[in-house]
Amino acid sequence: MTDGIAPDRLAKLQTLRSEGQDPFPPRVPRGQPIGDLLPDFDQRIGQTVTVAGRLGVVRDFGKLRFAHVTDRTGALQVGFQRDRLPEFWPGRKLVEGNDLVSITGELGTTQKGEPTIWATSVVLAAKALRPAPEKWHGLTDTEQRYRARYVDLFANPEVRQSFATRSQIVREVRAYFDSLGYLEVETPILQPLFGGAAARPFTTHHNTLDMQLFLRIAPELYLKRLIVGGMERVYEIGRVFRNEGISTRHNPEFTMLESYEAWADYRDVMARVEGLFAHLVDKVRGGDGKVTFRDKDYDLSPPFQKAKYLDLFVEKNPGVDWFDHASVLTRARELHLKTDGIEAAKLANDVFEATVEDTLQGPIFVYDYPVAISPLAKRLPEDPRVTERFELFVAGMELGNAFSELNDPIDQEQRFAEQVTHKDDETPGEVDVDYVTALEYGMPPAGGLGIGIDRLCMLLTGSTSIRDVVLFPLLRRLPANDPNAPPAAEEPPAPTEPS
RNA sequence: GGGGGCGUAGCUCAGUCGGUAGAGCAGCGGCCUUUUAAGCCGGUGGUCGCAGGUUCGAGCCCUGCCGCCCUCACCA
């Protein structure tokens, strides 16, 4: 438990205690945000204020020491002078870099004009038993950054900034839908059947009900029940779980936005998406939609390009008929795709993904997807093989998926039944009868949308990896003898009742 | 799961041909009241990811394993 603690810091802690000082006092003077002091600092010179935060590297001049103190709003230099701190001075070395402190002092500047709080009182707020990473490089080891995100966050200000931006993005997504009269709702994460997407679920079990449950792969089918119920405009921002590979753009749990709007179709939803991006570009990027992602430039300002799925398919696969399996099979073999045991429609879509998807720099709406790969979308009146569905691509990355929602319960039941007969581990083993029943009560025509919030954050923060926009990405557990590993399996603490 | 790369002090990194384990920062002692990657002097600090093997001798070569990153596959 104490592996990795610097012995000298532990010794200082004990010295503090033996001198009757509490290294972890319950409260200290909180003072005010450093960021509030800086803009009109010149006018504040001479004021006595209190600030609290984490102490940086101490620069020691014998009878004078400097260090910066950082809080969530900024950093300010602290000047420790022997003559102003007669009581603190003899034990000054017991307070060191990375400790958490509360400083009271007079605002002033140094000879070089650096804003400085000349301390008249120093209170240790919490002793740090481990040193900070190196001041100049910070913490760069990616594994340590993800495993010890708490260090990453205080050592690397740009990381804090990215997550602040993520918070702002989520806030503005809410603001956008709220402004349109949508209700934010919460639907089950533990679901007896999984659906609304094609993905392998995590499974779990409820003891008292003795029931198998799935962690949701999408909230879709519950949200549309709400449309049946007359809520008309709903959205949910929540975690979904897919038991699949991990990569720079996949985390097993990720955050999805889904919205549904009655009396809208997929064209209306397209406009909503453009409206959302315009809003985000305005509020998060200050009107600048130009972002750099993986060394390429994109402009996220709407309007976006549009192209039909089948047009793109033909363009990259001349002479190949998406709906003709023999034709697709030939092409798939040409592309060295895996063809054994792959269903016809999936194979055709694999060809699309192999030949088209990477070329979609975007932002671009790809629309009118074949029905066979769109089990929840409404067919085009003029071509029942195709659905009113679009996906949004940026940088070859699928960012959103939307369609005119299928509200014909008979068609829906048939498509579910079709899925069950071709069941694989990505489709449920039985028809969601209750969902079909809901549709039988009548669902207004509606447009639905799903957007991967994490990927949206990647784009807007220029993060190459999804792990840079997820605070605690899933990592393999380390062996128990490693100091960074969680404590070896012990008796779990007794469950406590929520109060 | 396949392919490639990486793992050395708390942190950032060197380590040549296989020949005594190194630097900077942090921490420790000393000097210094205006530095800001402070400076100077002196010391401290190592399960070289783990386990085997080859060798007189392994951080280095070989095998297996663990972890992370990139990439492909799958997906949003």
Side-chain angles (χ1 to χ4, degrees):
Chain A
M1 189 77 176
T2 54
D3 287 351
I5 289 185
D8 46 283
R9 286 181 177 256
L10 209 49
K12 289 176 186 177
L13 179 84
Q14 279 150 3
T15 303
L16 285 161
R17 287 201 160 124
S18 69
E19 290 179 357
Q21 291 188 59
D22 185 354
F24 302 100
R27 59 197 64 81
V28 298
R30 283 180 67 169
Q32 52 190 304
I34 288 168
D36 289 358
L37 300 173
L38 298 176
D40 56 346
F41 194 85
D42 289 349
Q43 278 73 54
R44 294 177 180 272
I45 287 174
Q47 287 180 6
T48 294
V49 301
T50 299
V51 296
R54 192 181 290 273
L55 209 57
V57 188
V58 177
R59 302 180 286 275
D60 187 350
F61 288 81
K63 299 185 185 65
L64 169 71
R65 346 181 79 196
F66 290 107
H68 276 81
V69 61
T70 304
D71 71 8
R72 70 184 187 285
T73 65
L76 178 65
Q77 177 165 265
V78 187
F80 304 84
Q81 292 167 300
R82 184 191 61 179
D83 299 342
R84 287 199 188 212
L85 292 164
E87 288 184 20
F88 170 75
W89 201 254
R92 64 193 179 281
K93 291 193 175 177
L94 299 175
V95 175
E96 60 196 317
N98 209 33
D99 286 348
L100 294 148
V101 294
S102 166
I103 306 284
T104 300
E106 185 185 333
L107 297 181
T109 58
T110 60
Q111 288 176 359
K112 299 213 169 143
E114 168 98 7
T116 301
I117 177 169
W118 296 104
T120 52
S121 168
V122 179
V123 179
L124 180 62
K127 185 70 189 161
L129 295 182
R130 296 174 192 255
E134 197 212 18
K135 58 190 169 190
W136 190 241
H137 298 91
L139 185 70
T140 61
D141 180 76
T142 46
E143 182 171 357
Q144 284 310 309
R145 287 188 44 230
Y146 299 146
R147 286 195 192 279
R149 184 69 93 182
Y150 37 88
V151 178
D152 188 33
L153 283 164
F154 75 70
N156 298 318
E158 68 282 4
V159 174
R160 272 205 310 283
Q161 180 55 52
S162 281
F163 287 105
T165 301
R166 178 176 178 135
S167 172
Q168 192 191 2
I169 290 165
V170 172
R171 189 162 58 247
E172 294 303 338
V173 169
R174 285 203 167 94
Y176 176 75
F177 284 98
D178 290 346
S179 74
L180 292 167
Y182 281 73
L183 293 182
E184 181 171 8
V185 297
E186 295 174 279
T187 61
I189 289 173
L190 297 174
Q191 302 180 347
L193 294 173
F194 62 96
R200 298 211 308 268
F202 289 90
T203 61
T204 186
H205 182 263
H206 187 274
N207 287 344
T208 308
L209 298 180
D210 188 20
M211 181 168 77
Q212 183 182 38
L213 290 167
F214 302 99
L215 273 63
R216 68 177 174 194
I217 57 173
E220 169 149 355
L221 299 180
Y222 284 94
L223 291 170
K224 282 192 278 193
R225 285 170 167 96
L226 302 179
I227 299 298
V228 172
M231 294 185 81
E232 290 201 346
R233 294 187 179 197
V234 294
Y235 73 96
E236 179 166 8
I237 295 172
R239 208 67 65 84
V240 299
F241 308 84
R242 299 188 181 178
N243 204 339
E244 281 155 3
I246 295 176
S247 77
T248 48
R249 45 195 90 179
H250 299 86
N251 195 55
E253 52 179 307
F254 63 99
T255 301
M256 178 96 110
L257 159 74
E258 284 200 11
S259 73
Y260 293 86
E261 178 174 338
W263 317 111
D265 67 8
Y266 75 144
R267 293 186 187 82
D268 301 312
V269 177
M270 215 176 262
R272 295 289 189 222
V273 172
E274 291 191 330
L276 175 63
F277 273 78
H279 181 79
L280 292 173
V281 165
D282 179 36
K283 299 291 184 184
V284 179
R285 307 274 315 171
D288 177 15
K290 294 188 175 63
V291 298
T292 302
F293 184 75
R294 292 175 185 259
D295 294 329
K296 286 187 181 157
D297 296 327
Y298 302 90
D299 191 345
L300 300 179
S301 307
F304 300 150
Q305 286 178 269
K306 298 175 178 65
K308 278 192 186 179
Y309 178 96
L310 289 172
D311 288 351
L312 291 170
F313 183 86
V314 169
E315 190 182 310
K316 297 290 180 185
N317 304 281
V320 182
D321 180 357
W322 198 97
F323 299 97
D324 177 38
H325 187 50
S327 167
V328 167
L329 199 57
T330 306
R331 178 64 172 148
R333 291 193 174 127
E334 213 173 283
L335 295 163
H336 307 294
L337 296 180
K338 196 166 70 179
T339 57
D340 293 346
I342 311 281
E343 209 191 326
K346 179 163 181 355
L347 187 65
N349 193 47
D350 286 348
V351 170
F352 177 88
E353 289 180 1
T355 54
V356 179
E357 220 168 84
D358 290 347
T359 70
L360 298 174
Q361 291 305 306
I364 181 171
F365 290 121
V366 178
Y367 66 99
D368 289 359
Y369 279 64
V371 66
I373 54 171
S374 313
L376 298 161
K378 191 190 283 278
R379 300 172 200 261
L380 284 182
E382 64 271 25
D383 184 354
R385 299 179 307 173
V386 175
T387 59
E388 295 196 354
R389 172 186 176 193
F390 71 84
E391 295 200 335
L392 174 62
F393 288 89
V394 183
M397 190 163 71
E398 188 183 335
L399 208 63
N401 183 19
F403 32 87
S404 302
E405 301 297 336
L406 178 62
N407 60 349
D408 174 345
I410 294 163
D411 191 357
Q412 185 68 78
E413 185 167 24
Q414 282 168 354
R415 294 199 213 171
F416 277 164
E418 173 73 7
Q419 277 189 322
V420 170
T421 57
H422 292 98
K423 175 171 169 43
D424 54 30
D425 50 10
E426 294 190 349
T427 47
E430 55 186 291
V431 172
D432 191 337
V433 174
D434 181 70
Y435 177 70
V436 175
T437 302
L439 294 186
E440 287 168 357
Y441 279 97
M443 181 170 88
L449 169 68
I451 286 182
I453 293 290
D454 311 86
R455 289 181 174 178
L456 182 65
C457 291
M458 289 170 68
L459 277 176
L460 287 166
T461 61
S463 300
T464 302
S465 170
I466 196 168
R467 295 179 204 93
D468 292 324
V469 297
V470 172
L471 279 166
F472 299 101
L474 185 63
L475 297 179
R476 208 177 286 272
R477 201 180 159 167
L478 293 173
N481 61 354
D482 188 289
N484 286 315
E490 291 166 9
E491 276 302 297
T496 52
E497 290 298 319
S499 50

